[in-house]
């Protein structure tokens, strides 16, 4: 961003005071590294910010001069390192408003999470890190605090970024958008082996990357591999992010303390072993992302669901539909039948506490819009064109129909207007009306669901494929408005009277350099649920 390292080191004045939430406080028994010297740049994973509030934001980086070291330590010693940080009103850091020192501890992979407060609402700031004993300076990031008054807000949402199946060209285009924040809905990494040549990336990695992740070191290195991508780094540097996980941050289709059937490598029902795997996955997730202290995991437990407010315009309810759900019925997969099992009223997708938290929160929000950051498709999705057969995905809300009914009925009975759901997971884009009864065409529309496609998972996409053709066959899913199977992200603009979604797609991802275009645009008018295509 136009700064030299020498220029940064020459600026020492004008610092302020911030209130810190240092995740490292009191956690390390390791001695400090008094005068760190690195064999390579300690900031190759870039910088990031997240979870913006009206008075502050989380700043993140991780020291890792050897980011893919087999032991998962990033080339760092078993010692604590002090890292200086600054946040300024201008890109050249002539007006530094806050600064301080954070401890990067080995117990947390030498990651740094600084919770800065005392900032002005609704404005841009620039931030950076450095290790004071040497000439080691991070890239510069830009962030934005949440507004206290707002006539408009613009965000983008994305999900599913399988590194070896495609390049992150979509993130390069996303970084060039004019946004207030980015919402990531899960599958930030994939636990599978990356293949002998790193898939389309054409890179040879050691044997630890050829197998499924199991340990903390392997999860750390998988995150580091993804974070080395320059396009992903650019998107993190450009905006604050709000993140939640889906399944592949741990393993495919996990459910609470239950591993995936027949592919987990653990004896059936070995909860303790799977919780050990989860603990490593959760810790690596926290170590590599700009999350606040309440989202720091405690072993295999972590409260990731939370909400963020953007003036009186929008309340964002961030969900976790993995950690508390019941196991998938009928052996998981996409199947017909299982109606009694999937409609069992005792089954839950969110868990009782989160379900109550959500319904109470949308009722009390007092904002023009309630937006749910959700993982798997809520809308009923029949995969079978035969009107006498219903085939559904049992990992989605179709496998938890009583829980879905409680959610949609709860929104309806509480009179929650202007509710919109942002969804990931399915590697395709779908716009759907969420109805009290999907089988009754006259049933009221409770909310609108915008499901977004993947960044790269699934490789090159097409506007329509066989899967989409079945979904969109007349009469099969009449509550579906639109479908597309290309890769990309979705930009959402909000004001008091409408919410607009622009589906931005790239023609290909298996080679770099694709252009971007808008495949379709939709608007939801205030007090009129359901999306209208523009």
């Amino acid at each position: 961003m136009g700064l030299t390292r020498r220029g940064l080191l020459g600026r020492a004045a004008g610092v302020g005071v911030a209130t810190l939430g240092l995740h490292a406080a009191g956690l390390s028994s390791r001695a400090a590294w008094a005068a760190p010297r690195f064999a390579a740049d300690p900031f190759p994973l870039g910088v990031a910010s997240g979870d913006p509030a009206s008075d502050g934001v989380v700043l993140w980086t991780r020291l890792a001069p050897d980011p893919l070291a087999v032991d998962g330590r990033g080339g760092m010693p078993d010692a604590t390192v002090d890292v200086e940080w600054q946040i300024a009103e201008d890109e050249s850091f002539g007006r530094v408003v806050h600064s301080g020192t954070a401890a990067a501890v080995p117990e947390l992979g030498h990651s740094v999470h600084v919770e800065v407060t005392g900032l002005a609402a609704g404005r841009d700031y620039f931030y950076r890190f450095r290790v004071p004993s040497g000439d080691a300076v991070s890239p510069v990031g830009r962030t934005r605090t949440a507004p206290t008054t707002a006539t408009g807000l613009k965000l983008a949402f994305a999900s599913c970024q399988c590194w070896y199946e495609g390049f992150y060209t979509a993130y390069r285009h996303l970084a060039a958008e004019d946004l207030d924040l980015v919402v990531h809905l899960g599958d930030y990494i994939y636990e599978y082996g990356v293949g002998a040549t790193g898939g389309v990336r054409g890179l040879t990695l050691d044997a630890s990357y050829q197998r499924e992740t199991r340990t903390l070191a392997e999860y750390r290195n998988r995150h580091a591999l993804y974070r080395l991508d320059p396009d992903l780094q650019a998107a993190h540097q450009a905006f604050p992010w709000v993140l939640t996980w889906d399944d592949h941050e741990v393993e495919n289709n996990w459910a609470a303390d239950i591993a995936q059937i027949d592919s987990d490598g653990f004896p059936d029902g070995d909860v303790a072993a799977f919780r050990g795997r989860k603990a490593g996955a959760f810790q690596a997730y926290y170590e590599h992302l700009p999350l606040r202290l309440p989202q720091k995991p405690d072993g295999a437990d972590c409260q990731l669901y939370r909400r963020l407010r953007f003036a009186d315009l929008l309340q964002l309810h961030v969900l976790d539909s993995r950690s508390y759900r019941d196991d998938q019925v009928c052996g998981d997969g996409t199947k017909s039948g299982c109606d009694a099992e999937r409609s069992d009223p005792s089954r839950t997708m969110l868990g009782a506490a989160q379900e109550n938290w959500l319904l109470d929160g949308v009722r009390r929000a007092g904002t023009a819009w309630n937006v749910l950051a959700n993982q798997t498709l809520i809308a009923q999705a029949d995969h079978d064109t035969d009107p006498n057969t219903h085939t559904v995905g049992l990992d989605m809300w179709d496998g938890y129909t009583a829980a879905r009914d409680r959610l949609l009925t709860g929104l309806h009975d509480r009179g929650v207007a202007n509710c919109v759901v942002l969804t990931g997971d399915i590697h395709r884009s779908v716009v759907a009306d969420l109805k009290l009864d999907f089988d009754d065409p006259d049933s009221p529309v409770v909310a609108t669901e915008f499901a977004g496609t993947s960044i790269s998972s699934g490789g090159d996409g097409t506007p329509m494929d066989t899967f989409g053709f079945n979904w969109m066959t007349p009469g099969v899913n009449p509550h579906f408005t639109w479908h597309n199977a290309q890769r990309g992200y979705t930009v959402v603009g909000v004001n008091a009277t409408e919410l607009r979604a622009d589906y931005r797609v790239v023609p290909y991802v298996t080679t770099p350099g694709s252009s971007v275009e808008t495949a379709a645009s939709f608007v939801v008018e205030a007090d009129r649920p359901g999306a209208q295509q523009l």
Side-chain angles (χ1 to χ4, degrees):
M1 293 202 178
L3 285 176
T4 65
R5 292 173 183 247
R6 185 177 298 277
L8 170 60
L9 293 172
R11 292 181 172 91
V15 297
V17 178
T19 300
L20 303 183
L22 293 179
H23 70 273
L27 292 181
S28 182
S29 59
R30 304 301 192 270
W33 190 6
R37 290 293 187 272
F38 305 101
D41 179 10
F43 298 106
L45 305 181
V47 298
S49 68
D51 276 22
S54 60
D55 67 341
V57 70
V58 183
L59 307 181
W60 171 91
T61 194
R62 181 191 171 204
L63 303 180
D66 185 5
L68 303 183
V70 175
D71 63 5
R73 295 177 181 234
M76 293 292 292
D78 195 21
T80 298
V81 179
D82 287 337
V83 179
E84 292 182 351
W85 58 271
Q86 291 180 317
I87 189 165
E89 293 178 340
D90 63 312
E91 192 174 353
S92 61
F93 285 76
R95 299 188 301 278
V96 173
V97 294
H98 291 307
S99 65
T101 301
V105 301
E107 291 90 340
L108 290 172
H110 291 96
S111 62
V112 177
H113 296 72
V114 179
E115 298 185 19
V116 185
T117 61
L119 303 179
R123 68 151 298 159
D124 287 350
Y125 289 93
F126 299 87
Y127 62 95
R128 61 191 177 187
F129 301 86
R130 82 179 182 109
V131 178
S133 64
D135 188 22
V137 181
S138 78
V140 173
R142 179 182 64 190
T143 191
R144 183 174 296 174
T145 52
T148 52
T149 60
T151 57
L153 188 79
K154 185 177 284 189
L155 62 87
F157 69 92
S159 66
C160 304
Q161 54 193 52
C162 187
W163 178 87
Y164 53 84
E165 289 189 338
F167 290 88
Y168 292 164
T169 312
Y171 276 137
R172 178 61 59 176
H173 292 296
L174 183 150
E177 303 272 3
D178 180 16
L179 304 172
D180 294 289
L181 72 153
V182 172
V183 179
H184 196 281
L185 300 172
D187 293 347
Y188 193 92
I189 65 164
Y190 280 71
E191 79 281 18
Y192 306 127
V194 302
T197 62
V200 303
R201 301 284 182 146
L203 297 176
T204 301
L205 299 166
D206 68 61
S208 67
Y209 293 90
Q210 311 310 315
R211 58 179 180 263
E212 192 167 323
T213 50
R214 304 279 186 207
T215 67
L216 172 59
E218 290 171 345
Y219 281 110
R220 278 177 173 169
N221 283 356
R222 199 60 53 87
H223 275 279
L225 179 66
Y226 281 48
R227 289 303 297 259
L228 285 170
D229 184 274
D231 294 336
L232 178 58
Q233 288 194 21
H236 272 292
Q237 285 177 232
F239 316 108
W241 283 41
V242 177
L243 300 107
T244 185
W245 55 42
D246 192 15
D247 53 342
H248 290 289
E249 286 85 357
V250 181
E251 73 154 1
N252 184 55
N253 287 13
W254 64 279
D257 287 337
I258 302 170
Q260 185 184 27
I261 295 173
D262 295 330
S263 68
D264 48 68
F266 303 120
D268 287 346
D270 192 339
V271 170
F274 184 61
R275 283 181 61 81
R277 180 179 181 179
K278 279 175 58 182
F282 286 7
Q283 180 171 331
Y285 184 84
Y286 175 80
E287 289 173 349
H288 288 85
L289 295 169
L291 297 167
R292 292 186 180 271
L293 186 59
Q295 279 65 64
K296 180 182 176 295
D298 180 11
D301 299 309
C302 179
Q303 183 174 313
L304 204 58
Y305 66 86
R306 61 205 188 278
R307 59 175 58 97
L308 295 89
R309 187 181 183 92
F310 298 88
D312 293 332
L313 190 60
L314 185 148
Q315 184 98 291
L316 180 65
H317 309 265
V318 183
L319 305 184
D320 174 2
S321 64
R322 284 290 161 193
S323 297
Y324 314 100
R325 65 158 69 189
D326 285 303
D327 194 14
Q328 296 88 350
V329 296
C330 299
D332 203 355
T334 300
K335 298 174 182 176
S336 59
C338 298
D339 292 347
E341 294 90 339
R342 62 194 185 96
S343 63
D344 182 345
S346 70
R347 286 171 48 74
T348 183
M349 174 69 91
L350 301 177
Q354 184 180 188
E355 190 175 302
N356 292 334
W357 167 88
L358 174 59
L359 292 175
D360 183 62
V362 293
R363 179 178 63 85
R364 295 172 178 267
T367 53
W369 297 88
N370 278 287
V371 175
L372 279 54
N374 168 63
Q375 288 76 58
T376 60
L377 195 68
I378 293 178
Q380 178 174 290
D382 190 352
H383 295 57
D384 203 317
T385 57
D386 183 345
N388 299 312
T389 305
H390 297 285
T391 303
V392 298
L394 299 174
D395 184 61
M396 300 190 292
W397 285 75
D398 271 331
Y400 303 77
T401 58
R404 178 172 63 196
D405 291 344
R406 288 195 302 272
L407 172 62
L408 298 181
T409 300
L411 295 173
H412 180 265
D413 291 351
R414 287 164 175 78
V416 178
N418 303 336
C419 185
V420 171
V421 180
L422 311 180
T423 295
D425 178 63
I426 57 175
H427 305 177
R428 59 192 61 245
S429 301
V430 172
V431 179
D433 293 337
L434 296 182
K435 302 169 72 71
L436 275 184
D437 183 351
F438 289 103
D439 296 321
D440 179 2
D442 297 322
S443 181
V445 177
V446 175
T448 303
E449 184 168 24
F450 291 111
T453 187
S454 62
I455 289 290
S456 58
S457 302
D460 295 336
T462 58
M464 182 58 71
D465 58 7
T466 300
F467 198 97
F469 174 81
N470 291 342
W471 272 11
M472 301 304 291
T473 296
V476 175
N477 295 295
H479 48 283
F480 281 6
T481 302
W482 181 77
H483 169 275
N484 179 282
Q486 293 172 290
R487 308 293 163 240
Y489 57 92
T490 309
V491 175
V492 177
V494 188
N495 60 38
T497 60
E498 67 176 32
L499 181 147
R500 173 173 173 152
D502 294 308
Y503 279 91
R504 306 278 280 159
V505 300
V506 293
Y508 54 87
V509 296
T510 52
T511 55
S514 173
S515 61
V516 67
E517 60 189 36
T518 300
S521 298
F522 296 85
V523 66
V524 180
E525 298 175 359
D527 301 320
R528 185 186 175 192
Q532 313 299 318
Q533 187 166 3
L534 298 176

